[in-house]
Amino acid sequence: MTTSPQPSNAEIDALIVDALNHRVGKDERAAKPHDWYTATVYALRDKVIDRWMESTRRTYAEGGKRVYYLSLEFLIGRLLRDAVSNLDLNGALERALRSHGFELSQLEELEPDAALGNGGLGRLAACFMESLASLDIPAYGYGIRYVNGMFRQRIDDGWQVELPETWLSHGNPWEFDRRESAYRVGFGGEVVSDGDAVRWEPAEMVEASAVDTPVVGWRGKRVNTLRLWTAHALDPIKLDAFNAGDHVGALEGEARAASLVRVLYPADSHQAGQELRLRQEYFFSAASIQDILRRHMQHNGNIRTLPDKAAIQLNDTHPAVAVAELVRLLVDHHGLEFDEALDITRRTVAYTNHTLLPEALESWPLPLFERLLPRHMQIIYAINSRVLREARKQGVNDAAIAAISLIDEGGERRVRMANLAFTGANSVNGVAALHTDLMKQTVFHDLHRLYPKKINNKTNGVTPRRWLMQCNPGLTSVIRDAIGNAFLDDTEELSALNALAGDAELGERIAEVKRSNKVALAAHIKDLTGVRVSPDALFDVQIKRIHEYKRQLLNLIETVALYDQIRSHPERDWVPRVKIFAGKAAPSYHNAKLIIKLANDIARRVNSDPSVAGLLKVVFVPNYNVTLAERIIPAADLSEQISTAGMEASGTGNMKFALNGALTIGTLDGANIEIKDRVGDENIVIFGMTADEVAEKRANGYAPREVIEGSPELHQAVEAIASGVFSPDDEDRYKDLMGGLYDSDWFMVAADFEAYASAQREVDARWQDTAGWRKAAIHNIANVGWFSSDRTIGEYARDIWKVL
Ligand SMILES: *Cc1c(COP(=O)(O)O)cnc(C)c1O
């Protein structure tokens, strides 16, 4: 297991006090809790740094291949508990802090939640970084050090209000400034040819400089680096302008550089079309590729061996311009012929697709791309001409040629980033089996026929350290007592629980843990929203980005229907439920923000109605982030995974819930299908149309009005919302939202309503069979070990990166 000896309590204590005195600059009497938090991180960091250096030395000595994970998002969350737990310092640290009157858990609450991502895609990158270190794979994550990450969400009178996230305002003790690792990144200007050679002369230049965060693997096996780029002006102050009194002009360069790393675009599953976004994409891609090539040349000295020493994974198309940047540097700086440069690039780069939604597929207007990156535009044309020549040679028809082209010629010409990533990569993977199949049938239909071996599947996973051991210590301890410790190192060992699923005593112990997690969550909900909920009710949870395809609206309409049913049939034996919602809407996404308001309007009415008291509560918990997910998931009984089939690429929330013993109510979408295959049909509640049925209904003309008017429960609920029953202060508030259901209902809310409502009544029946529910919960925990990101990373490492 761990190699170096564990430090004693006294040693940890001395490290903390020394850090408090000499790095924070406080003595023990003057120190505030925040000072103790900072000192604790510094003390821990010292332990991390030893292993970090050891990992780096070992990588150099072994001279093996490194993995580079390029992602515009890393949804990291807090790091203190992660580091403490992975270094196995819980006990020592707790004792040391107690001697100064602090609980570790209390200091943990002082750490800001690092939210450099929107949702699933960014969280996947963070889970992958942890698994790479845990599997002892030498790897670097590359991204942007946003000064303002994902916005903080406040709920004002039921509406989402976005506030800037200032996670760096008290400094960040986890990070290391590496001013010596700095690169120039250009924009604009022109391409000049001198003789055979071509030179790009950018009009603007900024400096990217590295800020490193150590990533500790399980049992401290390896510490890898998350390298986030920050930006500086090369000429921070134009002194001549300053002296001439032009103070704004003098600082313009610094302001422009700062804007590159100022804020994360808060759009999830939607392309952010502004020029600044393309600048961010190029800025971090160019710095990362330069860093990779610098390291390669320093250690290997031969540019041609790059594919043997580096595997570059693109997390979605946000870093797709890295393909053109790598070709550019190989041709313009290393003097390779274009075809050899493209071949080396393709053997080095792989691409992960995350969505099939047309509105999320990135493309840039050609004139903008050409103005900002004129040399890259030439390279993209050159790649395109080779790809299209190859396609024509194979007899591909004109319609398919148009689909394969890196340039969208329909209307305003645009550069297609997915086609660039696809043609520049040796591997193109989807993130769940269904998603990968649909990729072959839809977005990449013609590219797949041209390159039939590129597309492969890598079903997502989540790190069991954060999403079981750290967030749910109670459950972890019960499982250890039941089946021993093997699952701590291999989550698939959880399957030993299957044999004990009928054990009433184990069922009882797990239920006790769940109840105490629910008590804690109920207190938190009271603090945040003022709503009192009973831990004895069924906690029915839908927490994720607010998006129409995720269908929070289906859940809310069913909630209204249930509310009506309880009031009409008070004599029935209703299962007490708490409907818990959380999630952020993109600030410009009108319907998503309206859905948040609707959840809050329904909550206000339902929670104050004495006729359903004790039977139904609705809460919208503000500011969904990793830290909140870590509180809610261990307390969930029911996991809502109800996207329109074919639209959720994978989902990872679904995996976290099942691992913590919640049952899923879900559609046959994304990884839900694979969860069902593993936990068994009798331990999950599946409803609704399949992806094929959705496609067929859309193709053959779907009449939602008939469906709504044909379903009394649905009709009554939709009409109640539309007519202002939940919005007496503004009766028309939801008229258009409900009107959209009658008119088109793209997301098939009406079409799936009856199936969903009856699936919910099936959930009620199962809940009333306490023993049956407990058994099903155990089968869920036992059979989702496969969804560990260790398994996913193992597959990437063997099949794509060839490093295991
Ligand atoms: C896991 C996670 C997600 C992804 O959830 P889905 O339900 O798969 O969309 C998003 N945000 C946070 C904070 C998460 O922890």
mmCIF file of all heavy atoms in Angstrom, residues 7-30:
data_model
loop_
_atom_site.group_PDB
_atom_site.id
_atom_site.type_symbol
_atom_site.label_atom_id
_atom_site.label_comp_id
_atom_site.label_asym_id
_atom_site.label_seq_id
_atom_site.Cartn_x
_atom_site.Cartn_y
_atom_site.Cartn_z
ATOM 1 N N PRO A 7 3.074 9.816 9.005
ATOM 2 C CA PRO A 7 3.546 10.733 10.041
ATOM 3 C C PRO A 7 2.742 10.543 11.333
ATOM 4 O O PRO A 7 1.579 10.182 11.293
ATOM 5 C CB PRO A 7 3.284 12.109 9.435
ATOM 6 C CG PRO A 7 2.270 11.901 8.378
ATOM 7 C CD PRO A 7 2.379 10.497 7.913
ATOM 8 N N SER A 8 3.398 10.800 12.439
ATOM 9 C CA SER A 8 2.721 10.666 13.733
ATOM 10 C C SER A 8 1.848 11.895 13.982
ATOM 11 O O SER A 8 1.971 12.911 13.305
ATOM 12 C CB SER A 8 3.772 10.567 14.834
ATOM 13 O OG SER A 8 4.482 11.792 14.885
ATOM 14 N N ASN A 9 0.974 11.797 15.001
ATOM 15 C CA ASN A 9 0.152 12.951 15.399
ATOM 16 C C ASN A 9 1.019 14.161 15.701
ATOM 17 O O ASN A 9 0.715 15.281 15.304
ATOM 18 C CB ASN A 9 -0.638 12.647 16.676
ATOM 19 C CG ASN A 9 -1.629 11.531 16.463
ATOM 20 O OD1 ASN A 9 -1.843 11.102 15.331
ATOM 21 N ND2 ASN A 9 -2.205 11.068 17.552
ATOM 22 N N ALA A 10 2.107 13.881 16.430
ATOM 23 C CA ALA A 10 2.972 14.987 16.854
ATOM 24 C C ALA A 10 3.597 15.668 15.644
ATOM 25 O O ALA A 10 3.702 16.905 15.593
ATOM 26 C CB ALA A 10 4.066 14.467 17.795
ATOM 27 N N GLU A 11 3.967 14.856 14.655
ATOM 28 C CA GLU A 11 4.591 15.436 13.469
ATOM 29 C C GLU A 11 3.588 16.298 12.703
ATOM 30 O O GLU A 11 3.898 17.416 12.271
ATOM 31 C CB GLU A 11 5.130 14.312 12.574
ATOM 32 C CG GLU A 11 5.992 14.829 11.429
ATOM 33 C CD GLU A 11 6.305 13.742 10.403
ATOM 34 O OE1 GLU A 11 6.289 12.541 10.765
ATOM 35 O OE2 GLU A 11 6.540 14.110 9.238
ATOM 36 N N ILE A 12 2.356 15.779 12.546
ATOM 37 C CA ILE A 12 1.301 16.539 11.861
ATOM 38 C C ILE A 12 1.018 17.835 12.627
ATOM 39 O O ILE A 12 0.907 18.914 12.042
ATOM 40 C CB ILE A 12 0.008 15.693 11.761
ATOM 41 C CG1 ILE A 12 0.195 14.576 10.733
ATOM 42 C CG2 ILE A 12 -1.198 16.541 11.396
ATOM 43 C CD1 ILE A 12 0.105 15.020 9.295
ATOM 44 N N ASP A 13 0.928 17.714 13.933
ATOM 45 C CA ASP A 13 0.660 18.884 14.762
ATOM 46 C C ASP A 13 1.747 19.938 14.586
ATOM 47 O O ASP A 13 1.465 21.129 14.415
ATOM 48 C CB ASP A 13 0.552 18.456 16.230
ATOM 49 C CG ASP A 13 0.104 19.618 17.094
ATOM 50 O OD1 ASP A 13 -0.976 20.175 16.805
ATOM 51 O OD2 ASP A 13 0.844 19.991 18.024
ATOM 52 N N ALA A 14 2.997 19.481 14.585
ATOM 53 C CA ALA A 14 4.110 20.421 14.421
ATOM 54 C C ALA A 14 4.054 21.092 13.051
ATOM 55 O O ALA A 14 4.314 22.297 12.924
ATOM 56 C CB ALA A 14 5.445 19.688 14.610
ATOM 57 N N LEU A 15 3.703 20.333 12.037
ATOM 58 C CA LEU A 15 3.600 20.900 10.682
ATOM 59 C C LEU A 15 2.524 21.990 10.623
ATOM 60 O O LEU A 15 2.724 23.040 10.018
ATOM 61 C CB LEU A 15 3.250 19.799 9.665
ATOM 62 C CG LEU A 15 4.385 18.911 9.149
ATOM 63 C CD1 LEU A 15 3.824 17.752 8.318
ATOM 64 C CD2 LEU A 15 5.371 19.722 8.324
ATOM 65 N N ILE A 16 1.391 21.708 11.278
ATOM 66 C CA ILE A 16 0.292 22.687 11.240
ATOM 67 C C ILE A 16 0.689 23.967 11.974
ATOM 68 O O ILE A 16 0.510 25.079 11.459
ATOM 69 C CB ILE A 16 -1.003 22.090 11.852
ATOM 70 C CG1 ILE A 16 -1.502 20.917 10.999
ATOM 71 C CG2 ILE A 16 -2.089 23.161 11.965
ATOM 72 C CD1 ILE A 16 -2.689 20.169 11.603
ATOM 73 N N VAL A 17 1.234 23.802 13.158
ATOM 74 C CA VAL A 17 1.593 24.983 13.952
ATOM 75 C C VAL A 17 2.691 25.784 13.252
ATOM 76 O O VAL A 17 2.644 27.018 13.201
ATOM 77 C CB VAL A 17 2.013 24.571 15.385
ATOM 78 C CG1 VAL A 17 2.565 25.768 16.153
ATOM 79 C CG2 VAL A 17 0.818 23.971 16.123
ATOM 80 N N ASP A 18 3.647 25.068 12.651
ATOM 81 C CA ASP A 18 4.707 25.761 11.925
ATOM 82 C C ASP A 18 4.132 26.547 10.745
ATOM 83 O O ASP A 18 4.512 27.697 10.504
ATOM 84 C CB ASP A 18 5.755 24.749 11.438
ATOM 85 C CG ASP A 18 6.915 25.462 10.762
ATOM 86 O OD1 ASP A 18 7.639 26.197 11.458
ATOM 87 O OD2 ASP A 18 7.070 25.311 9.529
ATOM 88 N N ALA A 19 3.208 25.923 10.022
ATOM 89 C CA ALA A 19 2.586 26.611 8.878
ATOM 90 C C ALA A 19 1.800 27.829 9.361
ATOM 91 O O ALA A 19 1.840 28.899 8.740
ATOM 92 C CB ALA A 19 1.666 25.657 8.117
ATOM 93 N N LEU A 20 1.100 27.666 10.480
ATOM 94 C CA LEU A 20 0.322 28.771 11.036
ATOM 95 C C LEU A 20 1.239 29.944 11.390
ATOM 96 O O LEU A 20 0.963 31.097 11.052
ATOM 97 C CB LEU A 20 -0.436 28.298 12.280
ATOM 98 C CG LEU A 20 -1.406 29.298 12.893
ATOM 99 C CD1 LEU A 20 -2.634 29.458 12.007
ATOM 100 C CD2 LEU A 20 -1.827 28.860 14.289
ATOM 101 N N ASN A 21 2.357 29.634 12.035
ATOM 102 C CA ASN A 21 3.278 30.686 12.478
ATOM 103 C C ASN A 21 4.023 31.321 11.311
ATOM 104 O O ASN A 21 4.055 32.539 11.182
ATOM 105 C CB ASN A 21 4.313 30.118 13.454
ATOM 106 C CG ASN A 21 3.676 29.622 14.758
ATOM 107 O OD1 ASN A 21 4.249 28.811 15.461
ATOM 108 N ND2 ASN A 21 2.463 30.083 15.060
ATOM 109 N N HIS A 22 4.581 30.471 10.461
ATOM 110 C CA HIS A 22 5.550 30.995 9.499
ATOM 111 C C HIS A 22 5.003 31.252 8.122
ATOM 112 O O HIS A 22 5.584 32.008 7.360
ATOM 113 C CB HIS A 22 6.765 30.059 9.434
ATOM 114 C CG HIS A 22 7.485 29.981 10.743
ATOM 115 N ND1 HIS A 22 7.521 28.838 11.506
ATOM 116 C CD2 HIS A 22 8.145 30.938 11.447
ATOM 117 C CE1 HIS A 22 8.182 29.079 12.625
ATOM 118 N NE2 HIS A 22 8.571 30.348 12.616
ATOM 119 N N ARG A 23 3.898 30.616 7.766
ATOM 120 C CA ARG A 23 3.378 30.885 6.423
ATOM 121 C C ARG A 23 2.110 31.726 6.468
ATOM 122 O O ARG A 23 1.915 32.606 5.639
ATOM 123 C CB ARG A 23 3.178 29.586 5.662
ATOM 124 C CG ARG A 23 4.559 28.999 5.325
ATOM 125 C CD ARG A 23 4.475 27.933 4.297
ATOM 126 N NE ARG A 23 4.540 26.626 4.910
ATOM 127 C CZ ARG A 23 4.470 25.482 4.235
ATOM 128 N NH1 ARG A 23 4.272 25.499 2.931
ATOM 129 N NH2 ARG A 23 4.576 24.337 4.858
ATOM 130 N N VAL A 24 1.248 31.453 7.454
ATOM 131 C CA VAL A 24 0.069 32.313 7.593
ATOM 132 C C VAL A 24 0.449 33.576 8.370
ATOM 133 O O VAL A 24 -0.135 34.639 8.179
ATOM 134 C CB VAL A 24 -1.076 31.549 8.303
ATOM 135 C CG1 VAL A 24 -2.309 32.425 8.461
ATOM 136 C CG2 VAL A 24 -1.431 30.281 7.523
ATOM 137 N N GLY A 25 1.450 33.435 9.269
ATOM 138 C CA GLY A 25 1.905 34.591 10.029
ATOM 139 C C GLY A 25 1.042 34.927 11.238
ATOM 140 O O GLY A 25 0.859 36.093 11.573
ATOM 141 N N LYS A 26 0.482 33.887 11.867
ATOM 142 C CA LYS A 26 -0.335 34.107 13.067
ATOM 143 C C LYS A 26 0.175 33.212 14.195
ATOM 144 O O LYS A 26 0.667 32.112 13.943
ATOM 145 C CB LYS A 26 -1.799 33.717 12.786
ATOM 146 C CG LYS A 26 -2.524 34.617 11.807
ATOM 147 C CD LYS A 26 -3.142 35.817 12.504
ATOM 148 C CE LYS A 26 -3.856 36.747 11.542
ATOM 149 N NZ LYS A 26 -5.202 36.305 11.217
ATOM 150 N N ASP A 27 0.016 33.702 15.444
ATOM 151 C CA ASP A 27 0.276 32.769 16.534
ATOM 152 C C ASP A 27 -1.038 32.098 16.915
ATOM 153 O O ASP A 27 -2.108 32.490 16.450
ATOM 154 C CB ASP A 27 0.990 33.436 17.717
ATOM 155 C CG ASP A 27 0.078 34.374 18.500
ATOM 156 O OD1 ASP A 27 -1.160 34.253 18.361
ATOM 157 O OD2 ASP A 27 0.610 35.215 19.243
ATOM 158 N N GLU A 28 -0.927 31.086 17.782
ATOM 159 C CA GLU A 28 -2.096 30.239 18.019
ATOM 160 C C GLU A 28 -3.250 31.010 18.645
ATOM 161 O O GLU A 28 -4.407 30.658 18.444
ATOM 162 C CB GLU A 28 -1.711 29.034 18.883
ATOM 163 C CG GLU A 28 -0.807 28.083 18.123
ATOM 164 C CD GLU A 28 -0.136 27.068 19.017
ATOM 165 O OE1 GLU A 28 -0.859 26.291 19.663
ATOM 166 O OE2 GLU A 28 1.120 27.073 19.092
ATOM 167 N N ARG A 29 -2.937 32.045 19.429
ATOM 168 C CA ARG A 29 -4.012 32.775 20.092
ATOM 169 C C ARG A 29 -4.741 33.708 19.138
ATOM 170 O O ARG A 29 -5.943 33.890 19.215
ATOM 171 C CB ARG A 29 -3.479 33.563 21.284
ATOM 172 C CG ARG A 29 -3.354 32.687 22.556
ATOM 173 C CD ARG A 29 -2.697 33.456 23.659
ATOM 174 N NE ARG A 29 -1.447 34.069 23.168
ATOM 175 C CZ ARG A 29 -1.016 35.276 23.492
ATOM 176 N NH1 ARG A 29 -1.711 36.017 24.325
ATOM 177 N NH2 ARG A 29 0.124 35.738 23.002
ATOM 178 N N ALA A 30 -3.996 34.300 18.209
ATOM 179 C CA ALA A 30 -4.615 35.271 17.296
ATOM 180 C C ALA A 30 -5.304 34.602 16.110
ATOM 181 O O ALA A 30 -6.117 35.209 15.419
ATOM 182 C CB ALA A 30 -3.547 36.242 16.786
#
